[in-house]
Amino acid sequence: MKTKLQRPELIYLHSHVSETGKLTFFEGDGLFPFPIRRSFWILDVPNGNQRGIHAHKEENQLLICLKGEVDVNLECIDGKQYQFKLHKENEALYLPRMTWSSVKFGEGAVLLVMSDRAFDEDDYLRDKNLFRQFQLDYLKTFE
């Protein structure tokens, strides 16, 4: 039996604003589609440069732009493409597994990434042609 294909989506986080500033947070289970096992952040990327440029076989991720802005281009395993501009700290972008991504960084951007797995180099698809083969194999299941 096939599992349902997951789509990228924005998840909105809670914020509390007062005269002393803004606090954005998440807590408990249920807000994100998976439990968080690993977190890392990317910064000091020169303006206009790209990171990502890969897919994961099994890993799911959430992206939150904590400062500045990033442009995220995505392609799902079925070929559907998405574009997101992240620039609000209360937006988390869900990247399901088998989604090809590239992230273009704006000046001074800081990107927080949270995932459901520990780092595993074998989970990465860094060759777009190999990703295309996975797409073809996936689409053949519907013929």
Side-chain angles (χ1 to χ4, degrees), residues 2-7 76-80 96-99 138 142:
K2 266 196 171 308
T3 59
K4 182 181 174 198
L5 180 64
Q6 298 295 309
R7 298 280 180 202
C76 291
I77 190 67
D78 65 352
K80 187 161 172 118
R97 67 184 204 85
M98 293 305 293
T99 302
Y138 175 82
F142 293 103

Short mmCIF file of all heavy atoms in Angstrom, two decimals, residues 2-7 76-80 96-99 138 142:
data_model
loop_
_atom_site.label_atom_id
_atom_site.label_comp_id
_atom_site.label_asym_id
_atom_site.label_seq_id
_atom_site.Cartn_x
_atom_site.Cartn_y
_atom_site.Cartn_z
N LYS A 2 0.51 2.22 -0.81
CA LYS A 2 1.27 3.47 -0.90
C LYS A 2 0.94 4.38 0.27
O LYS A 2 -0.19 4.46 0.71
CB LYS A 2 0.88 4.20 -2.18
CG LYS A 2 1.81 3.90 -3.28
CD LYS A 2 1.59 4.95 -4.34
CE LYS A 2 2.63 4.84 -5.37
NZ LYS A 2 3.97 4.83 -4.96
N THR A 3 1.97 5.07 0.74
CA THR A 3 1.73 6.09 1.75
C THR A 3 1.40 7.40 1.04
O THR A 3 1.83 7.62 -0.10
CB THR A 3 2.96 6.28 2.66
OG1 THR A 3 4.06 6.66 1.85
CG2 THR A 3 3.26 5.01 3.43
N LYS A 4 0.67 8.25 1.70
CA LYS A 4 0.28 9.53 1.12
C LYS A 4 1.51 10.41 0.93
O LYS A 4 2.35 10.53 1.81
CB LYS A 4 -0.73 10.21 2.03
CG LYS A 4 -1.24 11.51 1.48
CD LYS A 4 -2.22 12.16 2.43
CE LYS A 4 -2.58 13.53 1.90
NZ LYS A 4 -3.17 14.37 2.91
N LEU A 5 1.60 11.03 -0.22
CA LEU A 5 2.70 11.95 -0.52
C LEU A 5 2.51 13.22 0.29
O LEU A 5 1.46 13.86 0.24
CB LEU A 5 2.71 12.27 -2.02
CG LEU A 5 3.80 13.22 -2.49
CD1 LEU A 5 5.17 12.59 -2.30
CD2 LEU A 5 3.59 13.56 -3.96
N GLN A 6 3.53 13.56 1.07
CA GLN A 6 3.48 14.77 1.88
C GLN A 6 3.93 15.97 1.04
O GLN A 6 4.79 15.83 0.18
CB GLN A 6 4.38 14.63 3.10
CG GLN A 6 3.97 13.51 4.03
CD GLN A 6 2.62 13.76 4.66
OE1 GLN A 6 2.37 14.81 5.23
NE2 GLN A 6 1.73 12.80 4.55
N ARG A 7 3.36 17.12 1.30
CA ARG A 7 3.68 18.35 0.57
C ARG A 7 4.38 19.36 1.49
O ARG A 7 4.09 19.39 2.69
CB ARG A 7 2.40 19.01 0.05
CG ARG A 7 1.64 18.17 -0.93
CD ARG A 7 2.26 18.27 -2.27
NE ARG A 7 1.53 17.45 -3.23
CZ ARG A 7 2.04 17.03 -4.34
NH1 ARG A 7 3.30 17.32 -4.65
NH2 ARG A 7 1.35 16.30 -5.17
N CYS A 76 9.07 18.32 -5.44
CA CYS A 76 8.66 17.07 -4.80
C CYS A 76 8.97 15.89 -5.72
O CYS A 76 9.25 16.06 -6.90
CB CYS A 76 7.17 17.11 -4.50
SG CYS A 76 6.75 18.29 -3.21
N ILE A 77 8.87 14.71 -5.16
CA ILE A 77 9.17 13.48 -5.89
C ILE A 77 8.24 13.31 -7.11
O ILE A 77 8.62 12.70 -8.10
CB ILE A 77 9.10 12.25 -4.95
CG1 ILE A 77 9.64 10.99 -5.63
CG2 ILE A 77 7.70 12.02 -4.43
CD1 ILE A 77 11.11 11.02 -5.92
N ASP A 78 7.05 13.91 -7.07
CA ASP A 78 6.13 13.81 -8.20
C ASP A 78 6.34 14.93 -9.23
O ASP A 78 5.58 15.04 -10.19
CB ASP A 78 4.68 13.79 -7.73
CG ASP A 78 4.25 15.08 -7.05
OD1 ASP A 78 5.11 15.96 -6.80
OD2 ASP A 78 3.05 15.21 -6.76
N GLY A 79 7.36 15.77 -9.01
CA GLY A 79 7.68 16.84 -9.97
C GLY A 79 7.05 18.18 -9.66
O GLY A 79 7.43 19.18 -10.26
N LYS A 80 6.10 18.24 -8.74
CA LYS A 80 5.47 19.51 -8.39
C LYS A 80 6.49 20.43 -7.74
O LYS A 80 7.26 20.00 -6.89
CB LYS A 80 4.28 19.29 -7.47
CG LYS A 80 3.50 20.56 -7.23
CD LYS A 80 2.12 20.28 -6.73
CE LYS A 80 1.49 21.59 -6.34
NZ LYS A 80 0.36 21.97 -7.04
N PRO A 96 9.10 17.77 3.49
CA PRO A 96 9.01 16.31 3.63
C PRO A 96 10.15 15.62 2.90
O PRO A 96 10.77 16.18 2.00
CB PRO A 96 7.66 15.98 3.00
CG PRO A 96 7.31 17.13 2.14
CD PRO A 96 8.06 18.32 2.65
N ARG A 97 10.42 14.39 3.30
CA ARG A 97 11.45 13.59 2.66
C ARG A 97 11.22 13.54 1.16
O ARG A 97 10.10 13.76 0.69
CB ARG A 97 11.49 12.19 3.25
CG ARG A 97 10.26 11.37 2.95
CD ARG A 97 10.31 10.02 3.65
NE ARG A 97 9.48 9.05 2.98
CZ ARG A 97 9.86 8.31 1.94
NH1 ARG A 97 11.06 8.44 1.44
NH2 ARG A 97 9.04 7.46 1.38
N MET A 98 12.28 13.29 0.40
CA MET A 98 12.24 13.20 -1.06
C MET A 98 11.75 14.50 -1.71
O MET A 98 11.01 14.51 -2.68
CB MET A 98 11.41 12.01 -1.53
CG MET A 98 12.04 10.68 -1.16
SD MET A 98 13.75 10.48 -1.77
CE MET A 98 13.50 10.42 -3.53
N THR A 99 12.17 15.63 -1.13
CA THR A 99 11.92 16.94 -1.70
C THR A 99 13.27 17.57 -2.02
O THR A 99 14.08 17.78 -1.12
CB THR A 99 11.14 17.84 -0.71
OG1 THR A 99 9.90 17.22 -0.37
CG2 THR A 99 10.88 19.21 -1.31
N TYR A 138 9.15 6.59 -9.04
CA TYR A 138 7.93 6.91 -8.29
C TYR A 138 6.74 7.03 -9.25
O TYR A 138 5.68 6.47 -9.00
CB TYR A 138 8.13 8.21 -7.52
CG TYR A 138 6.89 8.69 -6.81
CD1 TYR A 138 6.53 8.17 -5.58
CD2 TYR A 138 6.07 9.66 -7.39
CE1 TYR A 138 5.39 8.60 -4.93
CE2 TYR A 138 4.92 10.09 -6.76
CZ TYR A 138 4.59 9.56 -5.53
OH TYR A 138 3.45 9.98 -4.89
N PHE A 142 2.34 4.68 -10.83
CA PHE A 142 0.98 5.14 -11.15
C PHE A 142 0.54 4.73 -12.54
O PHE A 142 -0.56 5.04 -12.96
CB PHE A 142 0.89 6.66 -11.00
CG PHE A 142 1.05 7.11 -9.59
CD1 PHE A 142 2.24 7.66 -9.16
CD2 PHE A 142 0.02 6.96 -8.67
CE1 PHE A 142 2.41 8.08 -7.85
CE2 PHE A 142 0.17 7.37 -7.36
CZ PHE A 142 1.37 7.93 -6.95
#
